[in-house]
């Protein structure tokens, strides 16, 4: 018993010492991957913000992605800003917070870009702006992007990251699904290329429209892609669904995604795809 008590006392000392040591570790020093649980030292994060273990791409701002994706970029419609069509409670505050967090005026950054000599229209959704939700201005910016690309005979690349339609704008938000889809159709009718890149998360009305309408659909590793959430599906079907049902890997296995691409490979692959499309049109 005495030996047991000595070990117990020693263990308690170690616990106190560990807690004291942990208290000295600053917040944010270590980051846990939400997909594989791998601990990542914050200084090991480079500009791509990928998990070194499973290659999951952490959520990033549109301008962060832009910094390593293209060689040139000229923004279009950056002055467009959302109003409050339904006088939704606290919506103005949410929009102001979204602008501060994302560094842009809406959930989509749009413009004309170049990778090396390949010119194309580029849209990047930002999960830091009201969870990348699709509102009236976001839909308008994407529609104009496809219309500009059609008139200039340019391919389009769109990076999706969204929680779906923006509930604060009601039916006005839902209408954007049809509006953008119509612009995508006209662009495609002219024989022009549309590449959709699904990032984590791509859900709701965005998945149900232009995210899945690309001629080529790429996805980042372990990205969540789906329409309804897991809980809603289970409550509707009255049965459990697999944890990986809405993963990019499952979508690829079932033919909904053409390829899964790590972030540090995206620029090179897009250049190759755009170059092949350009040569095919000659």
């Amino acid at each position: 018993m005495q030996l047991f008590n000595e070990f117990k006392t020693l263990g308690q000392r170690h616990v106190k010492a560990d807690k004291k040591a942990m208290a000295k570790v600053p917040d944010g020093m270590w980051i846990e991957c939400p997909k594989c649980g791998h601990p990542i030292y914050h200084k090991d994060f480079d500009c791509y913000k990928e998990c070194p273990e499973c290659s999951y791409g952490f959520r990033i701002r549109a301008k962060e992605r832009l910094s390593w994706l293209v060689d040139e970029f000229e923004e279009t419609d950056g002055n467009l800003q959302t109003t409050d069509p339904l006088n939704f409670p606290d919506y103005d505050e949410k929009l102001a917070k979204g602008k501060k967090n994302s560094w842009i005026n809406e959930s989509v950054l749009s413009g004309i870009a170049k990778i090396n000599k390949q010119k194309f229209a580029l849209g990047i959704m930002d999960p830091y702006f009201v969870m990348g939700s699709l509102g009236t201005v976001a839909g308008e910016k994407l529609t104009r992007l496809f219309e500009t690309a059609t008139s200039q005979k340019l391919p389009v690349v769109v990076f999706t990251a969204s929680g779906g339609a923006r509930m604060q704008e009601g039916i006005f938000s839902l209408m954007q699904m049809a509006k953008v889809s119509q612009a995508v159709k006209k662009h495609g009718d002219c024989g022009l290329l549309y590449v959709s890149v699904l990032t984590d998360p791509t859900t709701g009305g965005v998945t149900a429209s232009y995210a899945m309408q690309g001629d080529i659909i790429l996805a980042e590793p372990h990205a969540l892609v789906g329409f309804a959430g897991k809980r809603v599906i289970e409550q509707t079907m009255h049965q459990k669904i697999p944890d990986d049902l809405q993963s990019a890997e499952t979508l690829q296995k079932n033919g909904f995604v053409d390829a899964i691409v790590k972030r540090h490979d995206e620029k090179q692959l897009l250049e190759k795809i755009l170059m092949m499309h350009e040569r095919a049109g000659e």
Side-chain angles (χ1 to χ4, degrees):
M1 178 63 74
Q2 182 179 358
L3 183 62
F4 170 77
N5 289 332
E6 289 177 358
F7 275 118
K8 183 178 180 181
T9 301
L10 184 62
Q12 289 173 342
R13 288 175 183 171
H14 278 299
V15 169
K16 290 179 180 179
D18 288 343
K19 287 183 177 180
K20 187 176 181 180
M22 289 173 65
K24 294 181 180 179
V25 178
D27 290 340
M29 186 69 72
W30 289 89
I31 304 165
E32 181 180 1
C33 175
K35 299 299 180 180
C36 70
H38 181 73
I40 308 165
Y41 183 50
H42 75 108
K43 289 188 177 180
D44 290 338
F45 254 154
D46 57 15
C47 61
Y48 298 107
K49 293 190 176 179
E50 288 181 309
C51 173
E53 186 71 17
C54 70
S55 299
Y56 166 73
F58 283 70
R59 296 173 188 178
I60 58 175
R61 295 173 178 84
K63 288 189 175 181
E64 289 180 288
R65 183 181 296 278
L66 188 68
S67 67
W68 49 259
L69 181 68
V70 301
D71 298 316
E72 297 179 31
F73 181 75
E74 183 178 349
E75 185 176 1
T76 57
D77 301 310
N79 61 328
L80 294 183
Q81 299 189 44
T82 300
T83 58
D84 185 4
L86 301 181
N87 295 317
F88 199 91
D90 302 323
Y91 187 32
D92 289 338
E93 290 82 354
K94 189 174 287 291
L95 291 173
K97 184 178 179 180
K99 293 176 185 178
K100 181 179 179 181
N101 291 341
S102 66
W103 313 332
I104 54 179
N105 288 331
E106 212 358 280
S107 61
V108 177
L109 177 67
S110 61
I112 305 301
K114 277 188 178 181
I115 297 178
N116 199 355
K117 296 180 180 180
Q118 302 304 312
K119 186 178 180 181
F120 62 102
L122 174 64
I124 306 176
M125 301 194 73
D126 195 318
Y128 282 82
F129 191 103
V130 196
M131 200 50 241
S133 51
L134 179 62
T136 51
V137 170
E140 179 65 20
K141 290 183 71 172
L142 285 165
T143 299
R144 291 187 185 187
L145 183 71
F146 276 95
E147 290 175 344
T148 298
T150 301
S151 64
Q152 296 185 20
K153 300 188 183 305
L154 294 174
V156 176
V157 177
V158 175
F159 285 79
T160 59
S162 179
R166 193 174 300 171
M167 59 172 287
Q168 291 89 348
E169 297 182 24
I171 190 64
F172 297 106
S173 174
L174 295 175
M175 288 170 60
Q176 306 311 309
M177 297 166 59
K179 186 169 76 173
V180 178
S181 295
Q182 185 179 37
V184 172
K185 176 67 164 54
K186 290 181 178 179
H187 180 263
D189 287 345
C190 293
L192 299 169
L193 176 69
Y194 168 33
V195 180
S196 177
V197 187
L198 314 176
T199 75
D200 186 67
T202 296
T203 60
V206 172
T207 304
S209 55
Y210 58 89
M212 304 303 292
Q213 292 170 349
D215 300 300
I216 298 175
I217 300 178
L218 308 176
E220 294 186 340
H222 310 296
L224 171 66
V225 182
F227 178 60
K230 180 181 179 182
R231 186 185 306 171
V232 173
I233 296 173
E234 291 180 339
Q235 289 176 346
T236 302
M237 298 177 63
H238 303 291
Q239 66 182 59
K240 287 285 185 180
I241 63 173
D243 291 334
D244 65 347
L245 179 69
Q246 296 176 313
S247 71
E249 288 73 14
T250 299
L251 266 69
Q252 183 190 33
K253 182 179 178 180
N254 289 276
F256 291 98
V257 168
D258 295 303
I260 294 176
V261 188
K262 298 176 183 178
R263 282 184 180 164
H264 58 266
D265 295 326
E266 288 176 354
K267 182 177 182 179
Q268 184 179 7
L269 177 61
L270 285 174
E271 181 185 9
K272 184 177 181 180
I273 291 172
L274 294 169
M275 188 180 300
M276 291 172 63
H277 174 67
E278 181 181 60
R279 290 177 179 175
E282 292 178 352

